[in-house]
Amino acid sequence: QVQLVESGGGLVQAGGSLRLSCTASKRSFSSYGMGWFRQAPGKEREFVAAISWGTGSTDYTDSAKGRFTISRDNAKNTMYLQMNSLKPDDTAVYYCAFSRSSVRNGVDYWGQGTQVTVSS
């Protein structure tokens, strides 16, 4: 069992920045992956970004490229999502995800979610 604790959401004006954090209760091995998904009201949960714990390779949805940066701190078992140039369309609940392979292939554990609201 892996617990994921998220923090960093909040209210920000368009053009502003936020940094989300997700700390895993279990030490992550090189084959593991973590990532972020989001769900806006009335919409399905969608992929935002992913990172390989071992190699640090990253993957982004098109709308996040150039604005969001995913990173991890192995020593702290913590993953981050730096979000810049935020838009009202980024408003959603953001979920941390953990996978024994890649979150693109399937998520084994979810965080509780953190609200991000971008005002125009």
Side-chain angles (χ1 to χ4, degrees), residues 22-89:
C22 174
T23 299
S25 62
K26 178 185 173 115
R27 173 177 170 265
S28 292
F29 295 95
S30 59
S31 61
Y32 292 176
M34 293 184 70
W36 295 94
F37 290 70
R38 67 186 181 187
Q39 187 166 18
K43 295 186 177 181
E44 292 189 355
R45 192 172 297 188
E46 63 176 3
F47 169 78
V48 177
I51 189 165
S52 166
W53 208 257
T55 65
S57 63
T58 59
D59 184 20
Y60 297 92
T61 190
D62 286 346
S63 63
K65 289 178 182 176
R67 299 189 300 128
F68 295 1
T69 302
I70 190 170
S71 62
R72 90 272 194 241
D73 184 329
N74 293 34
K76 296 181 179 179
N77 289 345
T78 299
M79 173 183 65
Y80 305 97
L81 185 68
Q82 177 67 44
M83 303 186 292
N84 299 328
S85 302
L86 283 162
K87 306 174 182 178
D89 284 349

